[in-house]
Amino acid sequence: MSVALILNDRAMARSRVGELPGLPPAVAIVYPVEGGPFEVERVRTLGQRWFGKSRPCYVVDLSDHRRQANVSKTPLTCKDGGHRFQATIDVGFRVHDPAMVVARNVRDALTVVYGYLTDRIRLCAARFAITEAMAAQLAINQELDREIRLPEGITIYYCKIQMEPDAAAARHIQELEEARRRARLGVHTHEARLGEARSDEEIEDLRAAARRRREEQERAALAGGPLDFERLIREHLVRHPEDTAEALGQLAQLRAAEATQHEIRDQRHAEMVKYLIERGVVREVDLPGLRQGVLGPSTAGTGIAGVLERPDAGATASFTSGAAPQLPDYSGSAPASAQSGGPVQWGGSTPAAVSAPPSGLIPVYLVLDTSAASDGCLTDLQNMLRSVQTLLASSPDVAGAVRLSVITYADGADVVLPLTEVSWRTGVPGLNTAPGCRYRPVLRRLKDLVPLETERLKEQVPRVLRPVVFLLAVGEAEDDAEWPAAHGELMAHTYHPHLVACGIGQGRVRAVQRLASRPELGVVAVEGADTAQSVVQFSVLVQQTLLHLGRSALAGRMELRLDCPQGLRPVAGEH
């Protein structure tokens, strides 16, 4: 679909203009002039009509045009760099300079108009989050609510833009809203269950207190005499006289059971003593009455039960509380395994668990500048952390091969997220700016953390790949004479990391060249770039590199490659 403003493909005689098909009522006649600018016919004199009828000319449409279109080919990336908007344009335009239209040979007006509008929409969309489609629409409509004269001789007199998230982003927002609704519903359900649980607990406490009070009263009443089975039966009959027959029957059974147990015990003791005498262990002279009691016709008086009675015979069995035998806990003895291989790795001999990555594990440190220079892009840094979490949580295979830590620095260095496997349940740390900007504390902190945490991971997994550090520099270092020594100590360590340095702002090239562990690992923002937009591009760089690192680790190798997005450029080769 196109809109042709020049109605004749090639110059034609002025007298034949009326022969053009579908000639609109408002047209302009443009004459090419040799060696000079194009001439637009205003009011024709009689002489011009007679002598100029064969003069070659172009016919330009001066009518108003209205068109609607969807922006589909140009990606309208939002602020986080990971989601996109889609836009519908309703535009009205006309020609204000027909000579310029002919001079620039504008055959299709839509190409010129849509090219200008999509560029403006794209710049505006990059300032808003994917959930702020209405705010982005209002901002671009306010910016375009005027007559816009284009250098091609076309005036945009009307323009309205309707913006909304694309299908993928709309699903993402819908899922977020559903998750928030479920969370709010879960909070109310949790509070209701808490109230019910507290009520049940209070009622149970009242019942338990009453039960303990009654038991104490009963124990106080029974404390006056020995507590045996007969007394228990008597106490029961006092409360329940209707159970007399059943109680007497239980008492008779108790007596019969006791007599049977005594007979069995006496028989066993007699057999044991007889065995001891026959084996010569016990002599008759030692126990004058024992042989007659065991071997004679009767055991009355000197029965064996009275001779070799156990010290606890006939006593009520008692159980004392003691420490139960402790069984060894093996639940944590099997360390997690790791993925194997990679050009840069250290081996370990600890057996692997099932849940560990199969080929390699990469520690990654995200070091962010939170000095006063980054105050204008703090929200973008926070959004960057959320985007990195979304990336890793959405790719559990990559997240399983990566351990991420976040460190902020200004005058000092703080670990805001210890080394961890990122998932949806990982809390995104909050960021705050602080005065000062020094590199030495964060480099020394890395020198302490990287070897310590690498050794700890080696105890848990068979193989750990060389750590990777992404360092973002916004402010100018106040300790420019001190930090290179700390950087040299970090790079000289056995477990020195791959250090990717990204500089934003003026004068960052030299610092990035000195910070990066290799020249090709240093990038800076292009000249004149907005700081917030550069942070978004740094976020894209980190996410792309993390995906490549994780997938290469899953394949058993270490591949660190930087693909600079638009807005960043490498510093390798600069002096």
Side-chain angles (χ1 to χ4, degrees):
M1 180 179 179
S2 61
V3 175
L5 298 179
I6 304 175
L7 302 182
N8 49 327
D9 294 336
R10 61 186 63 186
M12 62 186 302
R14 176 65 178 85
S15 60
R16 299 183 58 191
V17 169
E19 300 176 4
L20 289 173
L23 189 67
V27 295
I29 308 300
V30 179
Y31 298 101
V33 178
E34 184 177 355
F38 287 88
E39 177 183 335
V40 180
E41 179 183 286
R42 303 300 179 185
V43 179
R44 300 183 71 202
T45 63
L46 183 60
Q48 288 174 332
R49 291 178 183 177
W50 177 255
F51 296 105
K53 59 183 178 180
S54 60
R55 186 178 181 184
C57 66
Y58 292 94
V59 182
V60 178
D61 187 358
L62 299 180
S63 305
D64 289 353
H65 299 273
R66 287 286 294 271
R67 292 292 186 274
Q68 287 189 350
N70 296 322
V71 180
S72 58
K73 295 183 179 180
T74 303
L76 304 179
T77 307
C78 69
K79 189 176 184 179
D80 61 13
H83 299 93
R84 295 179 177 181
F85 293 105
Q86 62 183 14
T88 301
I89 302 176
D90 183 5
V91 62
F93 58 92
R94 65 171 73 95
V95 173
H96 70 269
D97 189 347
M100 187 58 68
V101 171
V102 175
R104 296 203 174 188
N105 195 24
V106 179
R107 293 294 178 179
D108 185 5
L110 294 182
T111 302
V112 176
V113 173
Y114 288 161
Y116 173 82
L117 293 178
T118 52
D119 183 62
R120 302 305 302 169
I121 296 171
R122 186 171 179 273
L123 293 176
C124 181
R127 303 199 306 265
F128 294 89
I130 192 62
T131 55
E132 300 173 339
M134 290 302 296
Q137 174 179 315
L138 179 61
I140 189 64
N141 283 332
Q142 288 178 345
E143 180 179 346
L144 300 177
D145 189 17
R146 57 188 174 86
E147 281 198 353
I148 303 172
R149 292 200 167 199
L150 303 181
E152 289 82 0
I154 301 173
T155 296
I156 300 175
Y157 66 86
Y158 175 82
C159 183
K160 291 296 180 184
I161 309 297
Q162 180 180 353
M163 297 189 66
E164 59 185 9
D166 65 3
R171 287 195 301 271
H172 173 67
I173 296 173
Q174 183 179 5
E175 291 172 357
L176 289 180
E177 282 300 319
E178 290 178 356
R180 292 191 187 99
R181 286 195 294 269
R182 287 195 299 269
R184 288 194 293 269
L185 181 59
V187 168
H188 293 304
T189 304
H190 177 68
E191 291 177 352
R193 294 180 62 184
L194 281 179
E196 294 176 359
R198 291 192 184 99
S199 176
D200 294 342
E201 286 294 326
E202 291 177 359
I203 294 173
E204 185 61 29
D205 290 343
L206 291 175
R207 291 174 177 171
R211 186 166 55 251
R212 288 193 298 269
R213 187 168 56 253
R214 289 193 295 269
E215 290 174 355
E216 290 175 358
Q217 293 172 356
E218 291 176 359
R219 284 195 295 269
L222 296 175
L227 186 62
D228 52 15
F229 187 77
E230 293 183 1
R231 183 171 181 182
L232 288 176
I233 290 179
R234 287 196 299 269
E235 294 293 338
H236 178 76
L237 291 177
V238 170
R239 297 184 181 92
H240 307 283
E242 68 278 4
D243 295 341
T244 301
E246 182 179 355
L248 292 176
Q250 291 180 355
L251 185 58
Q253 293 177 5
L254 175 65
R255 293 290 184 240
E258 288 177 350
T260 303
Q261 290 176 358
H262 281 298
E263 291 177 359
I264 295 173
R265 184 184 59 190
D266 291 345
Q267 182 180 358
R268 289 178 178 176
H269 286 183
E271 291 175 354
M272 180 186 67
V273 174
K274 185 186 295 185
Y275 174 81
L276 294 176
I277 293 173
E278 290 176 351
R279 294 292 181 179
V281 178
V282 177
R283 297 176 300 172
E284 295 183 53
V285 68
D286 296 327
L287 294 173
L290 181 60
R291 185 176 182 83
Q292 182 181 359
V294 175
L295 303 177
S298 174
T299 58
T302 59
I304 197 65
V307 177
L308 291 181
E309 192 86 50
R310 291 176 297 136
D312 59 343
T316 305
S318 64
F319 301 90
T320 58
S321 62
Q326 297 295 323
L327 298 178
D329 182 12
Y330 300 103
S331 61
S333 62
S337 105
Q339 301 172 344
S340 64
V344 184
Q345 61 186 23
W346 304 280
S349 60
T350 309
V354 177
S355 61
S359 300
L361 194 64
I362 302 180
V364 176
Y365 297 85
L366 194 55
V367 181
L368 303 179
D369 186 346
T370 55
S371 63
S374 62
D375 187 47
C377 57
L378 196 64
T379 303
D380 302 277
L381 290 174
Q382 194 76 52
N383 292 336
M384 169 191 173
L385 296 181
R386 295 191 182 96
S387 298
V388 170
Q389 182 201 25
T390 301
L391 170 78
L392 293 176
S394 302
S395 304
D397 56 339
V398 175
V402 173
R403 297 295 181 268
L404 182 68
S405 177
V406 180
I407 303 175
T408 61
Y409 72 93
D411 188 62
D414 297 310
V415 180
V416 297
L417 179 65
L419 203 65
T420 185
E421 180 178 349
V422 177
S423 66
W424 290 116
R425 293 177 292 181
T426 304
V428 177
L431 303 179
N432 296 294
T433 57
C437 181
R438 299 194 303 142
Y439 294 167
R440 183 172 178 268
V442 71
L443 293 172
R444 292 184 63 87
R445 193 65 177 271
L446 286 171
K447 180 180 175 294
D448 295 337
L449 284 177
V450 170
L452 179 65
E453 294 181 334
T454 301
E455 287 291 344
R456 179 172 58 83
L457 290 177
K458 287 173 59 180
E459 295 175 357
Q460 301 174 5
V461 299
R463 297 193 179 190
V464 180
L465 305 179
R466 187 171 295 279
V468 178
V469 175
F470 293 92
L471 190 147
L472 177 66
V474 182
E476 185 174 355
E478 300 172 358
D479 57 345
D480 196 61
E482 302 174 2
W483 70 262
H487 181 269
E489 294 176 2
L490 174 63
M491 292 295 107
H493 198 278
T494 305
Y495 296 149
H496 68 273
H498 298 291
L499 201 158
V500 179
C502 177
I504 295 176
Q506 297 294 331
R508 299 275 70 82
V509 173
R510 183 171 178 269
V512 167
Q513 289 175 333
R514 299 163 69 192
L515 282 169
S517 58
R518 299 197 305 269
E520 63 268 21
L521 298 184
V523 297
V524 293
V526 299
E527 293 296 331
D530 179 67
T531 304
Q533 185 63 25
S534 298
V535 170
V536 173
Q537 301 306 327
F538 177 65
S539 173
V540 174
L541 173 68
V542 171
Q543 294 177 55
Q544 292 176 347
T545 309
L546 277 178
L547 276 178
H548 190 75
L549 281 172
R551 288 167 180 164
S552 65
L554 291 173
R557 59 183 182 273
M558 175 82 175
E559 291 185 3
L560 177 58
R561 185 181 66 221
L562 302 184
D563 295 326
C564 287
Q566 183 179 3
L568 299 179
R569 61 180 178 86
V571 297
E574 296 191 14
H575 299 284

